[in-house]
Amino acid sequence: MTQIKPRKVLEKIKPYSPGKPIWELQEELKLDKVVKLASNENPQGPSPKGVAAISAGLADLHRYPDADTVSLKEAISKKLTVEKDQVIVTNGADELITLISEAFLDQGDEIIVPSPSFSEYDFGADLMGATVVPVPFDEGFQFNVERMIDAITDKTKLLYICSPNNPTGTYLAKAEFEKLLKAVPDHVLVVFDGAYSHYATAEDYTDGIEFVKAGYPILVLQTFSKVYGLAGLRVGFGVAPREVTQTILKVKEPFNVNSLAQAAAIAAINDDKHVEVSKESNATGAQTLYKEFSELGLSYVETMSNFVLVQLGPDAENIYQSLLEKGVIVRYGKIWGLPEYVRVTIGTEEENTFFIEKLKEVLNK
Ligand SMILES: *Cc1c(COP(=O)(O)O)cnc(C)c1O
């Protein structure tokens, strides 16, 4: 038995528990077919240009990657028309959330998070001994900007907005976001998580980048794991005022983004066709799921993203389990305090059909 005491704050933290991988479920239940609609991955697969770039980079694997990710930063800054030193590249956006926390949070500081949202924000705060101040959504999981502004204190350091929000699929309208930014005092950094920005189609949606350009104290976070289909490679990035990116660089490991990931991301961000196809398939899939849910009498939250939060009622946990046993992996909502809901990633046409077929079997419809 070891007497080595972990840091006090770790008492609050449990290791991340991922959804079951496909192979595990398949082996466990001897299933022929398993469809995973649990992690909001791109069902179209990776950007083909990204895959090609990886093959080209294999011969140089004996070299360390570019610690400064110069070429990728160039590609990102060109795509988004921001300055290169406004960009920071990380090992997935998850790493960026940890780095932001390490760079800005002292013990006792506060972060404001709409609730329910992405769990990594809380993890970053817990890790640093900071306090999470959750702000519940309004009816229909709509953001309440006034309540977020009211939650700001002298101790607030970070205020998170995930738009479209994971797990609800709802978004914050541009005018509302602007109102928030104007009300936020100087000592607060607004972190805008745009992991699903590409999927948002509402006229009044903003991906936040224009507010970085306008000089607001905001960091916009994006990822290559979702629409670009490169979740297995782990690349994400942030766009923020120069002083913010330079501060975060102080806590970054030198070689955090591997060379294959850098190469693939450069190719993927310019693969407009792959992005277009992915968005179109997602929009069609959303309509299919809406129609089927309506016919089954299930309420759902209209999504601006690549997943749908659907209300299965008091029996949701059993339905979720039965779906698992039939080879469909979705995310059960209890972790977000939504025990009557599951979140289902919009899949390919075939995956959506399989999911609906199994759902009907489980519901005896
Ligand atoms: C998936 C996701 C991310 C980023 O994921 P990485 O794979 O770490 O880049 C960030 N924010 C939200 C809300 C997500 O759902």
Side-chain angles (χ1 to χ4, degrees), residues 39-40 90-97 117-121 162 164-166 193-196 221-226 230-231 234-237 307 343:
S39 300
N40 306 337
T90 54
N91 187 23
D94 282 358
E95 187 199 23
L96 181 54
I97 295 166
S117 195
F118 193 47
S119 63
E120 289 301 298
Y121 315 143
C162 182
N165 183 53
N166 181 5
D193 187 338
Y196 302 98
L221 173 163
Q222 289 199 7
T223 176
F224 284 91
S225 299
K226 305 288 156 63
L230 300 176
R234 317 300 307 124
V235 205
F237 64 90
F307 53 82
R343 187 197 67 193

PDB file of all heavy atoms in Angstrom, residues 39-40 90-97 117-121 162 164-166 193-196 221-226 230-231 234-237 307 343, ligand 1:
ATOM      1  N   SER A  39     -20.523   9.277 -29.941  1.00  0.00           N
ATOM      2  CA  SER A  39     -19.438  10.246 -29.701  1.00  0.00           C
ATOM      3  C   SER A  39     -19.380  11.376 -30.721  1.00  0.00           C
ATOM      4  O   SER A  39     -18.375  12.082 -30.815  1.00  0.00           O
ATOM      5  CB  SER A  39     -18.094   9.521 -29.661  1.00  0.00           C
ATOM      6  OG  SER A  39     -18.091   8.569 -28.624  1.00  0.00           O
ATOM      7  N   ASN A  40     -20.447  11.529 -31.505  1.00  0.00           N
ATOM      8  CA  ASN A  40     -20.537  12.633 -32.466  1.00  0.00           C
ATOM      9  C   ASN A  40     -19.394  12.665 -33.479  1.00  0.00           C
ATOM     10  O   ASN A  40     -18.962  13.727 -33.930  1.00  0.00           O
ATOM     11  CB  ASN A  40     -20.641  13.976 -31.730  1.00  0.00           C
ATOM     12  CG  ASN A  40     -21.783  13.984 -30.745  1.00  0.00           C
ATOM     13  OD1 ASN A  40     -22.731  13.214 -30.894  1.00  0.00           O
ATOM     14  ND2 ASN A  40     -21.703  14.821 -29.738  1.00  0.00           N
ATOM     15  N   THR A  90      -3.488  22.346 -30.537  1.00  0.00           N
ATOM     16  CA  THR A  90      -3.353  21.439 -29.392  1.00  0.00           C
ATOM     17  C   THR A  90      -3.728  19.996 -29.742  1.00  0.00           C
ATOM     18  O   THR A  90      -4.267  19.723 -30.810  1.00  0.00           O
ATOM     19  CB  THR A  90      -4.264  21.916 -28.231  1.00  0.00           C
ATOM     20  OG1 THR A  90      -5.598  22.043 -28.716  1.00  0.00           O
ATOM     21  CG2 THR A  90      -3.790  23.243 -27.680  1.00  0.00           C
ATOM     22  N   ASN A  91      -3.418  19.107 -28.805  1.00  0.00           N
ATOM     23  CA  ASN A  91      -3.666  17.684 -28.977  1.00  0.00           C
ATOM     24  C   ASN A  91      -5.155  17.400 -28.687  1.00  0.00           C
ATOM     25  O   ASN A  91      -5.519  16.889 -27.633  1.00  0.00           O
ATOM     26  CB  ASN A  91      -2.761  16.925 -28.001  1.00  0.00           C
ATOM     27  CG  ASN A  91      -2.807  15.427 -28.204  1.00  0.00           C
ATOM     28  OD1 ASN A  91      -3.149  14.940 -29.271  1.00  0.00           O
ATOM     29  ND2 ASN A  91      -2.479  14.697 -27.169  1.00  0.00           N
ATOM     30  N   GLY A  92      -5.997  17.770 -29.642  1.00  0.00           N
ATOM     31  CA  GLY A  92      -7.440  17.765 -29.423  1.00  0.00           C
ATOM     32  C   GLY A  92      -7.834  19.041 -28.702  1.00  0.00           C
ATOM     33  O   GLY A  92      -6.998  19.674 -28.037  1.00  0.00           O
ATOM     34  N   ALA A  93      -9.084  19.426 -28.865  1.00  0.00           N
ATOM     35  CA  ALA A  93      -9.571  20.616 -28.153  1.00  0.00           C
ATOM     36  C   ALA A  93      -9.628  20.326 -26.652  1.00  0.00           C
ATOM     37  O   ALA A  93      -9.514  21.239 -25.834  1.00  0.00           O
ATOM     38  CB  ALA A  93     -10.936  21.021 -28.680  1.00  0.00           C
ATOM     39  N   ASP A  94      -9.761  19.062 -26.289  1.00  0.00           N
ATOM     40  CA  ASP A  94      -9.734  18.692 -24.867  1.00  0.00           C
ATOM     41  C   ASP A  94      -8.462  19.196 -24.200  1.00  0.00           C
ATOM     42  O   ASP A  94      -8.500  19.728 -23.090  1.00  0.00           O
ATOM     43  CB  ASP A  94      -9.776  17.163 -24.707  1.00  0.00           C
ATOM     44  CG  ASP A  94     -11.183  16.594 -24.907  1.00  0.00           C
ATOM     45  OD1 ASP A  94     -12.122  17.381 -25.124  1.00  0.00           O
ATOM     46  OD2 ASP A  94     -11.320  15.367 -24.856  1.00  0.00           O
ATOM     47  N   GLU A  95      -7.336  19.016 -24.877  1.00  0.00           N
ATOM     48  CA  GLU A  95      -6.082  19.492 -24.283  1.00  0.00           C
ATOM     49  C   GLU A  95      -6.121  21.005 -24.105  1.00  0.00           C
ATOM     50  O   GLU A  95      -5.656  21.540 -23.092  1.00  0.00           O
ATOM     51  CB  GLU A  95      -4.855  19.112 -25.130  1.00  0.00           C
ATOM     52  CG  GLU A  95      -3.560  19.462 -24.389  1.00  0.00           C
ATOM     53  CD  GLU A  95      -2.310  19.563 -25.255  1.00  0.00           C
ATOM     54  OE1 GLU A  95      -2.415  19.798 -26.469  1.00  0.00           O
ATOM     55  OE2 GLU A  95      -1.203  19.419 -24.696  1.00  0.00           O
ATOM     56  N   LEU A  96      -6.700  21.687 -25.091  1.00  0.00           N
ATOM     57  CA  LEU A  96      -6.760  23.148 -25.003  1.00  0.00           C
ATOM     58  C   LEU A  96      -7.551  23.593 -23.773  1.00  0.00           C
ATOM     59  O   LEU A  96      -7.165  24.533 -23.077  1.00  0.00           O
ATOM     60  CB  LEU A  96      -7.374  23.726 -26.290  1.00  0.00           C
ATOM     61  CG  LEU A  96      -7.478  25.253 -26.354  1.00  0.00           C
ATOM     62  CD1 LEU A  96      -6.137  25.926 -26.103  1.00  0.00           C
ATOM     63  CD2 LEU A  96      -8.043  25.689 -27.705  1.00  0.00           C
ATOM     64  N   ILE A  97      -8.646  22.879 -23.480  1.00  0.00           N
ATOM     65  CA  ILE A  97      -9.449  23.232 -22.306  1.00  0.00           C
ATOM     66  C   ILE A  97      -8.612  23.065 -21.029  1.00  0.00           C
ATOM     67  O   ILE A  97      -8.632  23.911 -20.129  1.00  0.00           O
ATOM     68  CB  ILE A  97     -10.735  22.380 -22.250  1.00  0.00           C
ATOM     69  CG1 ILE A  97     -11.628  22.724 -23.453  1.00  0.00           C
ATOM     70  CG2 ILE A  97     -11.492  22.600 -20.944  1.00  0.00           C
ATOM     71  CD1 ILE A  97     -12.769  21.740 -23.706  1.00  0.00           C
ATOM     72  N   SER A 117     -23.620  20.979 -20.108  1.00  0.00           N
ATOM     73  CA  SER A 117     -22.743  21.205 -21.260  1.00  0.00           C
ATOM     74  C   SER A 117     -21.590  20.204 -21.225  1.00  0.00           C
ATOM     75  O   SER A 117     -21.670  19.193 -20.531  1.00  0.00           O
ATOM     76  CB  SER A 117     -22.256  22.660 -21.261  1.00  0.00           C
ATOM     77  OG  SER A 117     -21.697  23.009 -22.498  1.00  0.00           O
ATOM     78  N   PHE A 118     -20.535  20.504 -21.948  1.00  0.00           N
ATOM     79  CA  PHE A 118     -19.406  19.590 -22.118  1.00  0.00           C
ATOM     80  C   PHE A 118     -18.640  19.436 -20.796  1.00  0.00           C
ATOM     81  O   PHE A 118     -18.275  20.427 -20.167  1.00  0.00           O
ATOM     82  CB  PHE A 118     -18.500  20.172 -23.206  1.00  0.00           C
ATOM     83  CG  PHE A 118     -17.457  19.251 -23.750  1.00  0.00           C
ATOM     84  CD1 PHE A 118     -17.767  17.958 -24.130  1.00  0.00           C
ATOM     85  CD2 PHE A 118     -16.154  19.708 -23.920  1.00  0.00           C
ATOM     86  CE1 PHE A 118     -16.793  17.126 -24.661  1.00  0.00           C
ATOM     87  CE2 PHE A 118     -15.177  18.877 -24.459  1.00  0.00           C
ATOM     88  CZ  PHE A 118     -15.500  17.585 -24.825  1.00  0.00           C
ATOM     89  N   SER A 119     -18.380  18.193 -20.389  1.00  0.00           N
ATOM     90  CA  SER A 119     -17.846  17.939 -19.050  1.00  0.00           C
ATOM     91  C   SER A 119     -16.389  18.370 -18.868  1.00  0.00           C
ATOM     92  O   SER A 119     -15.931  18.543 -17.732  1.00  0.00           O
ATOM     93  CB  SER A 119     -17.971  16.454 -18.720  1.00  0.00           C
ATOM     94  OG  SER A 119     -17.191  15.693 -19.627  1.00  0.00           O
ATOM     95  N   GLU A 120     -15.663  18.557 -19.955  1.00  0.00           N
ATOM     96  CA  GLU A 120     -14.243  18.908 -19.825  1.00  0.00           C
ATOM     97  C   GLU A 120     -14.021  20.271 -19.166  1.00  0.00           C
ATOM     98  O   GLU A 120     -12.965  20.517 -18.592  1.00  0.00           O
ATOM     99  CB  GLU A 120     -13.557  18.897 -21.192  1.00  0.00           C
ATOM    100  CG  GLU A 120     -13.361  17.515 -21.794  1.00  0.00           C
ATOM    101  CD  GLU A 120     -12.516  16.601 -20.907  1.00  0.00           C
ATOM    102  OE1 GLU A 120     -11.352  16.927 -20.654  1.00  0.00           O
ATOM    103  OE2 GLU A 120     -13.045  15.569 -20.452  1.00  0.00           O
ATOM    104  N   TYR A 121     -15.013  21.176 -19.275  1.00  0.00           N
ATOM    105  CA  TYR A 121     -14.852  22.487 -18.642  1.00  0.00           C
ATOM    106  C   TYR A 121     -14.746  22.312 -17.128  1.00  0.00           C
ATOM    107  O   TYR A 121     -13.888  22.905 -16.482  1.00  0.00           O
ATOM    108  CB  TYR A 121     -16.030  23.422 -18.954  1.00  0.00           C
ATOM    109  CG  TYR A 121     -16.476  23.446 -20.397  1.00  0.00           C
ATOM    110  CD1 TYR A 121     -17.827  23.568 -20.726  1.00  0.00           C
ATOM    111  CD2 TYR A 121     -15.556  23.356 -21.438  1.00  0.00           C
ATOM    112  CE1 TYR A 121     -18.254  23.603 -22.043  1.00  0.00           C
ATOM    113  CE2 TYR A 121     -15.981  23.385 -22.764  1.00  0.00           C
ATOM    114  CZ  TYR A 121     -17.333  23.496 -23.056  1.00  0.00           C
ATOM    115  OH  TYR A 121     -17.767  23.513 -24.355  1.00  0.00           O
ATOM    116  N   CYS A 162     -20.800  26.948 -25.186  1.00  0.00           N
ATOM    117  CA  CYS A 162     -20.639  25.915 -26.205  1.00  0.00           C
ATOM    118  C   CYS A 162     -21.823  26.079 -27.159  1.00  0.00           C
ATOM    119  O   CYS A 162     -22.968  25.881 -26.767  1.00  0.00           O
ATOM    120  CB  CYS A 162     -20.656  24.539 -25.544  1.00  0.00           C
ATOM    121  SG  CYS A 162     -20.406  23.174 -26.676  1.00  0.00           S
ATOM    122  N   PRO A 164     -22.982  25.359 -31.308  1.00  0.00           N
ATOM    123  CA  PRO A 164     -24.081  24.589 -30.735  1.00  0.00           C
ATOM    124  C   PRO A 164     -23.617  23.814 -29.505  1.00  0.00           C
ATOM    125  O   PRO A 164     -22.501  23.312 -29.473  1.00  0.00           O
ATOM    126  CB  PRO A 164     -24.464  23.625 -31.857  1.00  0.00           C
ATOM    127  CG  PRO A 164     -23.919  24.210 -33.110  1.00  0.00           C
ATOM    128  CD  PRO A 164     -22.704  24.970 -32.716  1.00  0.00           C
ATOM    129  N   ASN A 165     -24.525  23.731 -28.524  1.00  0.00           N
ATOM    130  CA  ASN A 165     -24.148  23.129 -27.248  1.00  0.00           C
ATOM    131  C   ASN A 165     -24.224  21.602 -27.297  1.00  0.00           C
ATOM    132  O   ASN A 165     -25.160  21.025 -27.834  1.00  0.00           O
ATOM    133  CB  ASN A 165     -25.078  23.653 -26.144  1.00  0.00           C
ATOM    134  CG  ASN A 165     -24.711  23.135 -24.770  1.00  0.00           C
ATOM    135  OD1 ASN A 165     -23.563  23.262 -24.346  1.00  0.00           O
ATOM    136  ND2 ASN A 165     -25.657  22.528 -24.079  1.00  0.00           N
ATOM    137  N   ASN A 166     -23.206  20.981 -26.729  1.00  0.00           N
ATOM    138  CA  ASN A 166     -23.196  19.547 -26.479  1.00  0.00           C
ATOM    139  C   ASN A 166     -23.621  19.352 -25.020  1.00  0.00           C
ATOM    140  O   ASN A 166     -22.954  19.905 -24.147  1.00  0.00           O
ATOM    141  CB  ASN A 166     -21.780  19.007 -26.710  1.00  0.00           C
ATOM    142  CG  ASN A 166     -21.675  17.524 -26.509  1.00  0.00           C
ATOM    143  OD1 ASN A 166     -22.670  16.841 -26.279  1.00  0.00           O
ATOM    144  ND2 ASN A 166     -20.456  17.008 -26.588  1.00  0.00           N
ATOM    145  N   ASP A 193     -16.857  27.568 -27.396  1.00  0.00           N
ATOM    146  CA  ASP A 193     -16.544  26.241 -27.939  1.00  0.00           C
ATOM    147  C   ASP A 193     -17.360  26.010 -29.214  1.00  0.00           C
ATOM    148  O   ASP A 193     -18.569  25.795 -29.172  1.00  0.00           O
ATOM    149  CB  ASP A 193     -16.861  25.171 -26.881  1.00  0.00           C
ATOM    150  CG  ASP A 193     -16.400  23.780 -27.303  1.00  0.00           C
ATOM    151  OD1 ASP A 193     -16.237  23.546 -28.516  1.00  0.00           O
ATOM    152  OD2 ASP A 193     -16.202  22.927 -26.414  1.00  0.00           O
ATOM    153  N   GLY A 194     -16.649  26.065 -30.341  1.00  0.00           N
ATOM    154  CA  GLY A 194     -17.302  25.892 -31.640  1.00  0.00           C
ATOM    155  C   GLY A 194     -16.996  24.536 -32.260  1.00  0.00           C
ATOM    156  O   GLY A 194     -16.837  24.413 -33.475  1.00  0.00           O
ATOM    157  N   ALA A 195     -16.937  23.496 -31.420  1.00  0.00           N
ATOM    158  CA  ALA A 195     -16.627  22.156 -31.930  1.00  0.00           C
ATOM    159  C   ALA A 195     -17.587  21.738 -33.055  1.00  0.00           C
ATOM    160  O   ALA A 195     -17.219  20.991 -33.955  1.00  0.00           O
ATOM    161  CB  ALA A 195     -16.674  21.132 -30.794  1.00  0.00           C
ATOM    162  N   TYR A 196     -18.830  22.256 -32.980  1.00  0.00           N
ATOM    163  CA  TYR A 196     -19.844  21.863 -33.977  1.00  0.00           C
ATOM    164  C   TYR A 196     -20.260  23.013 -34.889  1.00  0.00           C
ATOM    165  O   TYR A 196     -21.300  22.941 -35.542  1.00  0.00           O
ATOM    166  CB  TYR A 196     -21.066  21.289 -33.252  1.00  0.00           C
ATOM    167  CG  TYR A 196     -20.724  20.109 -32.376  1.00  0.00           C
ATOM    168  CD1 TYR A 196     -20.521  20.266 -31.016  1.00  0.00           C
ATOM    169  CD2 TYR A 196     -20.560  18.845 -32.926  1.00  0.00           C
ATOM    170  CE1 TYR A 196     -20.173  19.188 -30.208  1.00  0.00           C
ATOM    171  CE2 TYR A 196     -20.220  17.767 -32.136  1.00  0.00           C
ATOM    172  CZ  TYR A 196     -20.027  17.938 -30.776  1.00  0.00           C
ATOM    173  OH  TYR A 196     -19.687  16.873 -29.996  1.00  0.00           O
ATOM    174  N   LEU A 221     -12.675  28.032 -29.689  1.00  0.00           N
ATOM    175  CA  LEU A 221     -12.046  26.715 -29.740  1.00  0.00           C
ATOM    176  C   LEU A 221     -12.714  25.901 -30.853  1.00  0.00           C
ATOM    177  O   LEU A 221     -13.924  25.951 -31.023  1.00  0.00           O
ATOM    178  CB  LEU A 221     -12.289  26.148 -28.364  1.00  0.00           C
ATOM    179  CG  LEU A 221     -12.019  24.801 -27.832  1.00  0.00           C
ATOM    180  CD1 LEU A 221     -12.072  24.945 -26.319  1.00  0.00           C
ATOM    181  CD2 LEU A 221     -13.047  23.831 -28.263  1.00  0.00           C
ATOM    182  N   GLN A 222     -11.907  25.234 -31.653  1.00  0.00           N
ATOM    183  CA  GLN A 222     -12.461  24.343 -32.673  1.00  0.00           C
ATOM    184  C   GLN A 222     -11.670  23.032 -32.674  1.00  0.00           C
ATOM    185  O   GLN A 222     -10.641  22.921 -32.017  1.00  0.00           O
ATOM    186  CB  GLN A 222     -12.427  24.989 -34.060  1.00  0.00           C
ATOM    187  CG  GLN A 222     -13.440  26.134 -34.194  1.00  0.00           C
ATOM    188  CD  GLN A 222     -13.768  26.493 -35.636  1.00  0.00           C
ATOM    189  OE1 GLN A 222     -13.343  25.823 -36.574  1.00  0.00           O
ATOM    190  NE2 GLN A 222     -14.523  27.573 -35.808  1.00  0.00           N
ATOM    191  N   THR A 223     -12.187  22.058 -33.417  1.00  0.00           N
ATOM    192  CA  THR A 223     -11.562  20.735 -33.390  1.00  0.00           C
ATOM    193  C   THR A 223     -11.557  20.094 -34.776  1.00  0.00           C
ATOM    194  O   THR A 223     -12.407  20.415 -35.607  1.00  0.00           O
ATOM    195  CB  THR A 223     -12.315  19.811 -32.405  1.00  0.00           C
ATOM    196  OG1 THR A 223     -11.735  18.508 -32.475  1.00  0.00           O
ATOM    197  CG2 THR A 223     -13.792  19.687 -32.739  1.00  0.00           C
ATOM    198  N   PHE A 224     -10.618  19.208 -34.988  1.00  0.00           N
ATOM    199  CA  PHE A 224     -10.606  18.402 -36.212  1.00  0.00           C
ATOM    200  C   PHE A 224     -11.311  17.057 -36.000  1.00  0.00           C
ATOM    201  O   PHE A 224     -11.330  16.209 -36.886  1.00  0.00           O
ATOM    202  CB  PHE A 224      -9.163  18.183 -36.691  1.00  0.00           C
ATOM    203  CG  PHE A 224      -8.580  19.403 -37.354  1.00  0.00           C
ATOM    204  CD1 PHE A 224      -7.875  20.338 -36.606  1.00  0.00           C
ATOM    205  CD2 PHE A 224      -8.770  19.645 -38.706  1.00  0.00           C
ATOM    206  CE1 PHE A 224      -7.373  21.487 -37.200  1.00  0.00           C
ATOM    207  CE2 PHE A 224      -8.271  20.790 -39.313  1.00  0.00           C
ATOM    208  CZ  PHE A 224      -7.571  21.718 -38.558  1.00  0.00           C
ATOM    209  N   SER A 225     -11.883  16.870 -34.806  1.00  0.00           N
ATOM    210  CA  SER A 225     -12.490  15.571 -34.473  1.00  0.00           C
ATOM    211  C   SER A 225     -13.899  15.393 -35.007  1.00  0.00           C
ATOM    212  O   SER A 225     -14.405  14.277 -35.037  1.00  0.00           O
ATOM    213  CB  SER A 225     -12.553  15.395 -32.955  1.00  0.00           C
ATOM    214  OG  SER A 225     -11.265  15.423 -32.400  1.00  0.00           O
ATOM    215  N   LYS A 226     -14.569  16.465 -35.362  1.00  0.00           N
ATOM    216  CA  LYS A 226     -15.980  16.332 -35.695  1.00  0.00           C
ATOM    217  C   LYS A 226     -16.154  16.388 -37.220  1.00  0.00           C
ATOM    218  O   LYS A 226     -15.956  15.383 -37.870  1.00  0.00           O
ATOM    219  CB  LYS A 226     -16.792  17.389 -34.925  1.00  0.00           C
ATOM    220  CG  LYS A 226     -16.549  17.317 -33.412  1.00  0.00           C
ATOM    221  CD  LYS A 226     -17.193  16.102 -32.745  1.00  0.00           C
ATOM    222  CE  LYS A 226     -16.552  15.649 -31.439  1.00  0.00           C
ATOM    223  NZ  LYS A 226     -16.569  16.575 -30.319  1.00  0.00           N
ATOM    224  N   LEU A 230     -11.391  13.511 -37.976  1.00  0.00           N
ATOM    225  CA  LEU A 230     -10.051  13.071 -37.574  1.00  0.00           C
ATOM    226  C   LEU A 230      -9.922  12.866 -36.053  1.00  0.00           C
ATOM    227  O   LEU A 230      -8.861  13.088 -35.475  1.00  0.00           O
ATOM    228  CB  LEU A 230      -9.004  14.098 -38.043  1.00  0.00           C
ATOM    229  CG  LEU A 230      -8.931  14.348 -39.556  1.00  0.00           C
ATOM    230  CD1 LEU A 230      -7.923  15.461 -39.869  1.00  0.00           C
ATOM    231  CD2 LEU A 230      -8.539  13.073 -40.312  1.00  0.00           C
ATOM    232  N   ALA A 231     -11.004  12.384 -35.429  1.00  0.00           N
ATOM    233  CA  ALA A 231     -11.010  12.242 -33.964  1.00  0.00           C
ATOM    234  C   ALA A 231      -9.858  11.380 -33.450  1.00  0.00           C
ATOM    235  O   ALA A 231      -9.296  11.639 -32.393  1.00  0.00           O
ATOM    236  CB  ALA A 231     -12.344  11.660 -33.493  1.00  0.00           C
ATOM    237  N   ARG A 234      -6.363  13.384 -32.815  1.00  0.00           N
ATOM    238  CA  ARG A 234      -6.277  14.368 -31.737  1.00  0.00           C
ATOM    239  C   ARG A 234      -5.658  15.690 -32.198  1.00  0.00           C
ATOM    240  O   ARG A 234      -4.473  15.951 -31.986  1.00  0.00           O
ATOM    241  CB  ARG A 234      -5.470  13.824 -30.526  1.00  0.00           C
ATOM    242  CG  ARG A 234      -5.763  12.391 -30.133  1.00  0.00           C
ATOM    243  CD  ARG A 234      -7.200  12.144 -29.751  1.00  0.00           C
ATOM    244  NE  ARG A 234      -7.652  13.059 -28.729  1.00  0.00           N
ATOM    245  CZ  ARG A 234      -8.729  13.862 -28.864  1.00  0.00           C
ATOM    246  NH1 ARG A 234      -9.474  13.823 -29.951  1.00  0.00           N
ATOM    247  NH2 ARG A 234      -9.059  14.688 -27.901  1.00  0.00           N
ATOM    248  N   VAL A 235      -6.437  16.507 -32.861  1.00  0.00           N
ATOM    249  CA  VAL A 235      -6.020  17.882 -33.146  1.00  0.00           C
ATOM    250  C   VAL A 235      -7.174  18.852 -32.907  1.00  0.00           C
ATOM    251  O   VAL A 235      -8.291  18.609 -33.357  1.00  0.00           O
ATOM    252  CB  VAL A 235      -5.589  18.140 -34.613  1.00  0.00           C
ATOM    253  CG1 VAL A 235      -4.629  19.338 -34.685  1.00  0.00           C
ATOM    254  CG2 VAL A 235      -5.013  16.925 -35.274  1.00  0.00           C
ATOM    255  N   GLY A 236      -6.868  19.918 -32.236  1.00  0.00           N
ATOM    256  CA  GLY A 236      -7.828  21.001 -32.039  1.00  0.00           C
ATOM    257  C   GLY A 236      -7.059  22.306 -32.046  1.00  0.00           C
ATOM    258  O   GLY A 236      -5.824  22.306 -32.083  1.00  0.00           O
ATOM    259  N   PHE A 237      -7.784  23.421 -32.013  1.00  0.00           N
ATOM    260  CA  PHE A 237      -7.060  24.695 -31.951  1.00  0.00           C
ATOM    261  C   PHE A 237      -7.909  25.777 -31.315  1.00  0.00           C
ATOM    262  O   PHE A 237      -9.136  25.645 -31.195  1.00  0.00           O
ATOM    263  CB  PHE A 237      -6.573  25.121 -33.341  1.00  0.00           C
ATOM    264  CG  PHE A 237      -7.673  25.409 -34.338  1.00  0.00           C
ATOM    265  CD1 PHE A 237      -8.200  26.687 -34.465  1.00  0.00           C
ATOM    266  CD2 PHE A 237      -8.172  24.398 -35.158  1.00  0.00           C
ATOM    267  CE1 PHE A 237      -9.201  26.957 -35.384  1.00  0.00           C
ATOM    268  CE2 PHE A 237      -9.180  24.656 -36.084  1.00  0.00           C
ATOM    269  CZ  PHE A 237      -9.703  25.941 -36.197  1.00  0.00           C
ATOM    270  N   PHE A 307     -25.927  15.741 -33.752  1.00  0.00           N
ATOM    271  CA  PHE A 307     -26.538  14.795 -32.817  1.00  0.00           C
ATOM    272  C   PHE A 307     -27.903  15.342 -32.424  1.00  0.00           C
ATOM    273  O   PHE A 307     -28.176  16.539 -32.613  1.00  0.00           O
ATOM    274  CB  PHE A 307     -25.668  14.620 -31.567  1.00  0.00           C
ATOM    275  CG  PHE A 307     -25.322  15.921 -30.908  1.00  0.00           C
ATOM    276  CD1 PHE A 307     -26.218  16.536 -30.048  1.00  0.00           C
ATOM    277  CD2 PHE A 307     -24.119  16.563 -31.179  1.00  0.00           C
ATOM    278  CE1 PHE A 307     -25.921  17.753 -29.462  1.00  0.00           C
ATOM    279  CE2 PHE A 307     -23.812  17.788 -30.596  1.00  0.00           C
ATOM    280  CZ  PHE A 307     -24.712  18.381 -29.736  1.00  0.00           C
ATOM    281  N   ARG A 343     -28.704  10.969 -26.125  1.00  0.00           N
ATOM    282  CA  ARG A 343     -28.157  11.768 -27.218  1.00  0.00           C
ATOM    283  C   ARG A 343     -27.697  10.808 -28.299  1.00  0.00           C
ATOM    284  O   ARG A 343     -26.913   9.899 -28.030  1.00  0.00           O
ATOM    285  CB  ARG A 343     -26.976  12.608 -26.728  1.00  0.00           C
ATOM    286  CG  ARG A 343     -26.455  13.602 -27.764  1.00  0.00           C
ATOM    287  CD  ARG A 343     -25.063  14.113 -27.399  1.00  0.00           C
ATOM    288  NE  ARG A 343     -24.085  13.038 -27.487  1.00  0.00           N
ATOM    289  CZ  ARG A 343     -22.850  13.089 -27.000  1.00  0.00           C
ATOM    290  NH1 ARG A 343     -22.432  14.172 -26.375  1.00  0.00           N
ATOM    291  NH2 ARG A 343     -22.026  12.078 -27.135  1.00  0.00           N
TER     292      ARG A 343
HETATM  293  C1  LIG B   1     -15.853  16.737 -29.243  1.00  0.00           C
HETATM  294  C2  LIG B   1     -15.834  18.035 -28.526  1.00  0.00           C
HETATM  295  C3  LIG B   1     -14.662  18.788 -28.346  1.00  0.00           C
HETATM  296  C4  LIG B   1     -13.297  18.430 -28.786  1.00  0.00           C
HETATM  297  O1  LIG B   1     -12.856  17.264 -28.884  1.00  0.00           O
HETATM  298  P1  LIG B   1     -11.348  16.866 -29.229  1.00  0.00           P
HETATM  299  O2  LIG B   1     -11.548  15.548 -29.857  1.00  0.00           O
HETATM  300  O3  LIG B   1     -10.629  16.851 -27.953  1.00  0.00           O
HETATM  301  O4  LIG B   1     -10.807  17.899 -30.177  1.00  0.00           O
HETATM  302  C5  LIG B   1     -14.736  19.999 -27.723  1.00  0.00           C
HETATM  303  N1  LIG B   1     -15.890  20.477 -27.296  1.00  0.00           N
HETATM  304  C6  LIG B   1     -17.032  19.816 -27.451  1.00  0.00           C
HETATM  305  C7  LIG B   1     -18.283  20.416 -26.976  1.00  0.00           C
HETATM  306  C8  LIG B   1     -17.039  18.562 -28.056  1.00  0.00           C
HETATM  307  O5  LIG B   1     -18.193  17.899 -28.161  1.00  0.00           O
END
